[in-house]
Amino acid sequence: QVQLVESGGGLVQAGGSLRLSCAASERTSSRYTMGWFRQAPGKEREFVAANIWSGGDSYYADSVKGRFTISRDNAKNTVYLQMSSLKPAGTAVYYCVARRNGSTWHAGSWGQGTQVTVSS
């Protein structure tokens, strides 16, 4: 299975921006749908964004639409999540996921997560 390593989390003030990175151990451009999930303290893990394949469709949770952007750099086997206008409700551990086309997120490869804390 592909291995994923997230980075870029940290502490940011409300209204600020962060860019998360997810480095994959192998090429993902055509074989995997890449996604980001997050889990806030005491809450279930929730979908944030996904990109079907490089240059293809992207999908977002309503709560982040217009503020977050998912993108890929195929040359670097890296997926990004650009987060803008961050809100305190965005405080969570953010996970990168690689899902084989036709499979489920649950069966995908998950990174270890990176903490994002948004202060008010």
Side-chain angles (χ1 to χ4, degrees):
Q1 275 192 327
V2 60
Q3 295 182 343
L4 305 172
V5 178
E6 302 100 330
S7 61
L11 174 64
V12 63
Q13 289 189 329
S17 299
L18 276 178
R19 188 179 78 160
L20 305 183
S21 300
C22 171
S25 60
E26 63 183 73
R27 181 177 177 178
T28 62
S29 58
S30 61
R31 298 172 59 189
Y32 294 94
T33 295
M34 301 300 296
W36 289 93
F37 282 68
R38 67 186 180 187
Q39 187 167 20
K43 296 189 176 182
E44 292 188 354
R45 195 169 295 186
E46 64 175 4
F47 170 79
V48 175
N51 175 253
I52 303 302
W53 53 277
S54 185
D57 291 337
S58 294
Y59 298 91
Y60 299 91
D62 288 343
S63 58
V64 307
K65 204 170 292 183
R67 299 186 298 116
F68 289 14
T69 302
I70 186 171
S71 62
R72 294 188 182 190
D73 185 335
N74 291 332
K76 297 181 179 179
N77 292 337
T78 299
V79 178
Y80 303 99
L81 184 68
Q82 177 67 48
M83 307 185 293
S84 303
S85 303
L86 282 162
K87 304 176 181 180
T91 295
V93 177
Y94 284 71
Y95 298 90
C96 178
V97 193
R99 172 173 65 87
R100 283 189 178 271
N101 297 333
S103 185
T104 65
W105 291 117
H106 179 74
S109 298
W110 291 73
Q112 83 287 351
T114 186
Q115 176 71 48
V116 172
T117 302
V118 185
S119 63
S120 58

